[in-house]
Amino acid sequence: MADPNSTKISSSGITTDAVTGERYIPSSIRADGSKRREIRVRPGYRPPEDVELYKNRAAEAWKNRGKGGVPGAEGLSPSEEGGGGGSGGTAASNKNAKRREARKKAKAEEEKSSEQQKPPPPPQQQTPTERRAETATNWRSTEGHNNQQAEPAAVDPEVEKEKKARNLKKKLRQARELREKKDSGEALLPEQLEKVIKINELVRQLDSLGFDSNGEKKV
């Protein structure tokens, strides 16, 4: 067997002879005391255990998030954390504190001037619900006013009779014309035949209104 000091062992347990380059799995002792023989590995074979996995830096950083401190926090000194004030602050920290105070005052003055220059708020507009309620109220009031003004006119019975008699007279004339066509041998449609059948009924309705079969008012 090759010298152990000149061999290289991989993650899967394969040993490589640094001199000859041969790869093999060394012999070992089983739990029952028996001995495993040495196994030679064919050239070019690479077990999964020895394959290097690709590591994504972004994925690793996301996996390790929250384990570190706040970026930049470790560089703050006690005087800077307290705002740079106090007698123990350095000249640079005191100068930075004065600059911050000046910026705060300038920002406050700017906000105050913008508030003074702001135009007055527009008049409050009605919401859609308020507009619908107002429209419904106006509609009801207008409808009631119109109902009070438009009183129903008195209906003259004689005028209604004459109007109804005119309609019946027109239907009777059309029915008689269709009957003449039928008597002359012309074919009529079903609805035209129904009008011919109703001639006697139209005459009775005219008679009940005080008109003769020709639609003339009886004396």
Side-chain angles (χ1 to χ4, degrees), residues 21 23 35 41 61 72 93 120 150 160 165 176 210:
R23 301 167 65 219
K35 184 178 181 181
V41 180
S93 61
E160 287 294 322
R176 285 173 176 171

PDB file of all heavy atoms in Angstrom, residues 21 23 35 41 61 72 93 120 150 160 165 176 210:
ATOM      1  N   GLY A  21      -0.904   8.505  -8.505  1.00  0.00           N
ATOM      2  CA  GLY A  21      -2.188   9.042  -8.964  1.00  0.00           C
ATOM      3  C   GLY A  21      -3.304   8.037  -8.922  1.00  0.00           C
ATOM      4  O   GLY A  21      -4.418   8.328  -9.407  1.00  0.00           O
ATOM      5  N   ARG A  23      -6.416   5.891  -7.480  1.00  0.00           N
ATOM      6  CA  ARG A  23      -7.482   6.208  -6.530  1.00  0.00           C
ATOM      7  C   ARG A  23      -8.085   4.904  -6.032  1.00  0.00           C
ATOM      8  O   ARG A  23      -8.358   3.982  -6.821  1.00  0.00           O
ATOM      9  CB  ARG A  23      -8.554   7.060  -7.221  1.00  0.00           C
ATOM     10  CG  ARG A  23      -7.988   8.373  -7.766  1.00  0.00           C
ATOM     11  CD  ARG A  23      -8.963   9.041  -8.702  1.00  0.00           C
ATOM     12  NE  ARG A  23     -10.187   9.463  -8.028  1.00  0.00           N
ATOM     13  CZ  ARG A  23     -11.404   9.372  -8.541  1.00  0.00           C
ATOM     14  NH1 ARG A  23     -11.565   8.868  -9.749  1.00  0.00           N
ATOM     15  NH2 ARG A  23     -12.450   9.783  -7.860  1.00  0.00           N
ATOM     16  N   LYS A  35     -12.812  -7.824   7.981  1.00  0.00           N
ATOM     17  CA  LYS A  35     -12.060  -6.791   7.296  1.00  0.00           C
ATOM     18  C   LYS A  35     -12.578  -6.603   5.870  1.00  0.00           C
ATOM     19  O   LYS A  35     -12.793  -7.569   5.154  1.00  0.00           O
ATOM     20  CB  LYS A  35     -10.572  -7.162   7.266  1.00  0.00           C
ATOM     21  CG  LYS A  35      -9.678  -6.088   6.659  1.00  0.00           C
ATOM     22  CD  LYS A  35      -8.214  -6.508   6.721  1.00  0.00           C
ATOM     23  CE  LYS A  35      -7.323  -5.424   6.132  1.00  0.00           C
ATOM     24  NZ  LYS A  35      -5.891  -5.813   6.162  1.00  0.00           N
ATOM     25  N   VAL A  41     -10.764   2.468  -7.531  1.00  0.00           N
ATOM     26  CA  VAL A  41     -11.745   3.323  -8.219  1.00  0.00           C
ATOM     27  C   VAL A  41     -11.261   3.554  -9.638  1.00  0.00           C
ATOM     28  O   VAL A  41     -10.087   3.906  -9.854  1.00  0.00           O
ATOM     29  CB  VAL A  41     -11.911   4.663  -7.464  1.00  0.00           C
ATOM     30  CG1 VAL A  41     -12.941   5.553  -8.179  1.00  0.00           C
ATOM     31  CG2 VAL A  41     -12.329   4.413  -6.023  1.00  0.00           C
ATOM     32  N   ALA A  61     -26.390  35.305   1.067  1.00  0.00           N
ATOM     33  CA  ALA A  61     -26.621  36.520   1.852  1.00  0.00           C
ATOM     34  C   ALA A  61     -28.032  36.567   2.390  1.00  0.00           C
ATOM     35  O   ALA A  61     -28.281  36.980   3.521  1.00  0.00           O
ATOM     36  CB  ALA A  61     -26.334  37.747   0.978  1.00  0.00           C
ATOM     37  N   GLY A  72     -23.105  49.786   9.603  1.00  0.00           N
ATOM     38  CA  GLY A  72     -22.645  51.113   9.988  1.00  0.00           C
ATOM     39  C   GLY A  72     -22.830  51.435  11.458  1.00  0.00           C
ATOM     40  O   GLY A  72     -22.310  52.434  11.945  1.00  0.00           O
ATOM     41  N   SER A  93     -17.750  66.896  16.134  1.00  0.00           N
ATOM     42  CA  SER A  93     -19.117  66.489  16.455  1.00  0.00           C
ATOM     43  C   SER A  93     -19.972  67.702  16.829  1.00  0.00           C
ATOM     44  O   SER A  93     -21.153  67.784  16.474  1.00  0.00           O
ATOM     45  CB  SER A  93     -19.111  65.468  17.595  1.00  0.00           C
ATOM     46  OG  SER A  93     -18.535  66.046  18.759  1.00  0.00           O
ATOM     47  N   PRO A 120     -56.630  79.257   0.140  1.00  0.00           N
ATOM     48  CA  PRO A 120     -57.724  78.782   0.998  1.00  0.00           C
ATOM     49  C   PRO A 120     -58.361  77.539   0.410  1.00  0.00           C
ATOM     50  O   PRO A 120     -58.368  77.345  -0.804  1.00  0.00           O
ATOM     51  CB  PRO A 120     -58.704  79.958   1.001  1.00  0.00           C
ATOM     52  CG  PRO A 120     -58.384  80.723  -0.244  1.00  0.00           C
ATOM     53  CD  PRO A 120     -56.919  80.565  -0.453  1.00  0.00           C
ATOM     54  N   ALA A 150    -102.465  70.264 -12.074  1.00  0.00           N
ATOM     55  CA  ALA A 150    -103.102  69.515 -13.145  1.00  0.00           C
ATOM     56  C   ALA A 150    -104.259  68.699 -12.592  1.00  0.00           C
ATOM     57  O   ALA A 150    -104.149  67.501 -12.348  1.00  0.00           O
ATOM     58  CB  ALA A 150    -102.076  68.607 -13.818  1.00  0.00           C
ATOM     59  N   GLU A 160    -117.217  60.727 -25.211  1.00  0.00           N
ATOM     60  CA  GLU A 160    -116.614  59.395 -25.149  1.00  0.00           C
ATOM     61  C   GLU A 160    -117.373  58.415 -26.036  1.00  0.00           C
ATOM     62  O   GLU A 160    -116.773  57.570 -26.703  1.00  0.00           O
ATOM     63  CB  GLU A 160    -116.600  58.900 -23.689  1.00  0.00           C
ATOM     64  CG  GLU A 160    -115.571  59.583 -22.811  1.00  0.00           C
ATOM     65  CD  GLU A 160    -114.148  59.250 -23.261  1.00  0.00           C
ATOM     66  OE1 GLU A 160    -113.896  58.103 -23.653  1.00  0.00           O
ATOM     67  OE2 GLU A 160    -113.288  60.158 -23.217  1.00  0.00           O
ATOM     68  N   ALA A 165    -117.710  55.226 -30.910  1.00  0.00           N
ATOM     69  CA  ALA A 165    -118.478  54.866 -32.102  1.00  0.00           C
ATOM     70  C   ALA A 165    -117.650  55.044 -33.360  1.00  0.00           C
ATOM     71  O   ALA A 165    -117.780  54.258 -34.320  1.00  0.00           O
ATOM     72  CB  ALA A 165    -119.753  55.712 -32.165  1.00  0.00           C
ATOM     73  N   ARG A 176    -116.428  44.811 -43.504  1.00  0.00           N
ATOM     74  CA  ARG A 176    -117.320  44.655 -44.656  1.00  0.00           C
ATOM     75  C   ARG A 176    -116.538  44.606 -45.965  1.00  0.00           C
ATOM     76  O   ARG A 176    -116.888  43.858 -46.894  1.00  0.00           O
ATOM     77  CB  ARG A 176    -118.333  45.806 -44.674  1.00  0.00           C
ATOM     78  CG  ARG A 176    -119.425  45.647 -43.608  1.00  0.00           C
ATOM     79  CD  ARG A 176    -120.307  46.872 -43.543  1.00  0.00           C
ATOM     80  NE  ARG A 176    -121.403  46.655 -42.574  1.00  0.00           N
ATOM     81  CZ  ARG A 176    -122.236  47.612 -42.173  1.00  0.00           C
ATOM     82  NH1 ARG A 176    -122.085  48.864 -42.621  1.00  0.00           N
ATOM     83  NH2 ARG A 176    -123.208  47.345 -41.324  1.00  0.00           N
ATOM     84  N   GLY A 210    -126.132  53.820 -29.269  1.00  0.00           N
ATOM     85  CA  GLY A 210    -127.112  54.717 -29.873  1.00  0.00           C
ATOM     86  C   GLY A 210    -126.797  55.047 -31.314  1.00  0.00           C
ATOM     87  O   GLY A 210    -127.232  56.110 -31.802  1.00  0.00           O
TER      88      GLY A 210
END
